[in-house]
Amino acid sequence: QVQLQESGPGLVKPSQALSLTCTVSGGSITTNYYSWSWIRQPPGREPEWMGAIAWNGGTYYNPSLKSRTSISRDTSKNQYTLQLRSVTPEDTAVYYCARNEPEAGRTEYDYWGQGTQVTVSS
């Protein structure tokens, strides 16, 4: 069974960079053809897909966030990381990591982390 766990700071100051790590167990982030995403849900709003890193290391970003977003991975640790730069209070949300298999036509996510609350405040 695949498990995903988000970790990182719960409080970030405006203009700083947010870095979150997703640690994956029970499966390798390099196994074809899975894709590993970051999704966030601000309070009172719908979930927003932020971006993903695929099994082969390719990255994909939501156009509304791509200028501030970077996703990378450490295959030796079976982890992938989100960096969101120049944060504002509007970036306050619960942040999730999740897996899907878009090459098989699966847009839904079969595994999710529990989510981690991130608050942007001075």
Side-chain angles (χ1 to χ4, degrees):
Q1 182 175 340
V2 175
Q3 293 181 298
L4 296 83
Q5 178 67 58
E6 304 89 348
S7 61
L11 181 65
V12 184
K13 293 181 179 179
S15 82
Q16 294 186 338
L18 167 67
S19 292
L20 297 174
T21 296
C22 183
T23 300
V24 178
S25 62
S28 174
I29 61 173
T30 64
T31 296
N32 54 351
Y33 298 97
Y34 294 112
S35 185
W36 306 88
S37 286
W38 286 100
I39 300 150
R40 69 179 183 180
Q41 186 165 23
R45 294 170 58 186
E46 294 296 313
E48 179 182 37
W49 177 79
M50 302 182 70
I53 187 161
W55 62 277
N56 59 0
T59 52
Y60 308 88
Y61 299 103
N62 185 327
S64 71
L65 296 168
K66 66 184 300 182
S67 67
R68 297 193 291 135
T69 306
S70 297
I71 297 173
S72 58
R73 67 181 184 175
D74 185 339
T75 59
S76 71
K77 297 179 180 179
N78 213 37
Q79 296 177 328
Y80 66 105
T81 299
L82 169 73
Q83 184 186 57
L84 182 65
R85 298 175 291 276
S86 302
V87 301
T88 74
E90 285 66 47
D91 294 311
T92 294
V94 178
Y95 286 74
Y96 298 90
C97 48
R99 186 186 83 167
N100 72 339
E101 193 178 0
E103 295 193 35
R106 298 187 179 95
T107 58
E108 300 297 317
Y109 302 94
D110 55 358
Y111 291 98
W112 293 74
Q114 295 183 171
T116 186
Q117 171 71 46
V118 177
T119 299
V120 179
S121 176
S122 60

